Amino acid sequence: MSMMDRAIVSSALEAVRETSPLVSCITNSVVTNFTANVLLAIGAAPAMVDIVGEAGPFASIASGLLINLGTPTPEQREAAREAASAAVAADVPWVLDPVAVGALVHRTDLARELVTMGPTVVRGNASEIIALAGEGAGGRGVDASDEVESAFEAAQLIARNYGSVVAISGATDAIVSADQIIRVGGGAEMLTRVTGGGCALGAFLAAFVGAAKTRAVTPLEAVAAGHAVYSAAGEIAQEKASGPGTFQMHFLDSLYLVSTDDLDRIPLS
């Protein structure tokens, strides 16, 4: 990581811890507890507001919004539309996580509707990003069947059409704008053995882009910084863990304790 990159990541991390961004989460029922704990560990404030009539007003006063389509009930679908519209109107940054799009009809249709509303960030694996752009059939549920590099064209299409930063998760994550790609290495394989690792990352990014508004940090830089911090904490936790159970515990501790010096272990290019 270059000195400039380290300074940007450090600034983004400090912004989260100093401002304690309020993150409104419309997310799936499998991961709510883990997502909330991840946000609390890094210094953000989680709120799971997914009721029609409340989702919009709350999104408009939040620092950031996550819309995750993991278990999209009919009410959640309507709440997602309401919250996205309110966030756009209030200039609140928001993250769309199109879980399992392509393979499943209802969430695919909803994701393609929501992306036209211009999310600040779209986060997913390569198969989800390709499917969201209308260029593939999606992966196997939350698992990707495509490599990160194969989603670059789809990611740039989304970025150009909707003004979004697109974060593609993989062995090396890629953060894509219309004209730039930042690669973030590192991370922990054991995150794939814990339910909610990727979904919680979406909320994590909402905290980083929300807090970045208080600093001279762009959304692209904030998303790359969020990935770097998440990867560093994952590596530290994996070194201490004996399995997925203890990893989850150490991961939350590592997010709470992660320092600027810890970020040197994560390559950015």
Side-chain angles (χ1 to χ4, degrees):
M1 184 182 303
S2 70
M3 292 302 293
M4 181 179 294
D5 291 331
R6 179 176 177 180
I8 291 169
V9 176
S10 178
S11 179
L13 176 58
E14 287 172 3
V16 172
R17 287 176 168 162
E18 289 175 5
T19 66
S20 189
L22 175 62
V23 180
S24 181
C25 301
I26 298 176
T27 192
N28 75 76
S29 58
V30 181
V31 304
T32 51
N33 181 265
F34 186 67
T35 298
N37 283 335
V38 162
L39 288 172
L40 288 168
I42 201 62
M48 277 53 184
V49 183
D50 59 359
I51 297 173
V52 175
E54 294 183 354
F58 195 84
S60 69
I61 63 169
S63 307
L65 166 70
L66 166 69
I67 296 177
N68 173 296
L69 303 182
T71 54
T73 64
E75 181 161 19
Q76 266 202 345
R77 284 178 240 163
E78 193 55 41
R81 294 183 179 99
E82 179 186 300
S85 180
V88 171
D91 195 30
V92 172
W94 65 288
V95 177
L96 174 62
D97 192 336
V99 179
V101 298
L104 299 167
V105 175
H106 292 297
R107 74 187 66 210
T108 300
D109 289 345
L110 178 58
R112 288 178 178 163
E113 176 187 342
L114 290 171
V115 77
T116 66
M117 300 173 73
T120 313
V121 183
V122 176
R123 191 220 76 81
N125 61 45
S127 298
E128 291 164 345
I129 298 304
I130 291 169
L132 183 61
E135 298 183 356
R140 189 191 66 179
V142 298
D143 297 328
S145 57
D146 297 281
E147 297 297 325
V148 168
E149 290 77 9
S150 68
F152 284 173
E153 185 176 340
Q156 288 178 321
L157 180 65
I158 292 169
R160 286 194 302 269
N161 286 346
Y162 308 115
S164 307
V165 173
V166 182
I168 313 168
S169 295
T172 295
D173 301 328
I175 317 304
V176 180
S177 69
D179 57 4
Q180 191 174 357
I181 297 174
I182 300 176
R183 292 171 175 82
V184 182
E189 188 276 337
M190 207 171 285
L191 265 171
T192 65
R193 304 290 181 176
V194 175
T195 298
C199 294
L201 176 57
F204 200 78
L205 298 179
F208 270 73
V209 293
K213 292 183 71 175
T214 67
R215 302 289 179 96
V217 177
T218 68
L220 179 75
E221 292 166 342
V223 172
H227 274 260
V229 172
Y230 208 76
S231 292
E235 285 194 358
I236 294 166
Q238 186 164 271
E239 290 166 2
K240 297 178 179 179
S242 54
T246 52
F247 172 80
Q248 194 166 197
M249 173 186 70
H250 286 301
F251 183 59
L252 294 175
D253 285 351
S254 296
L255 287 171
Y256 181 73
L257 296 169
V258 68
S259 69
T260 299
D261 290 341
D262 293 323
L263 301 173
D264 285 338
R265 64 169 60 221
I266 302 302
L268 287 180
S269 60

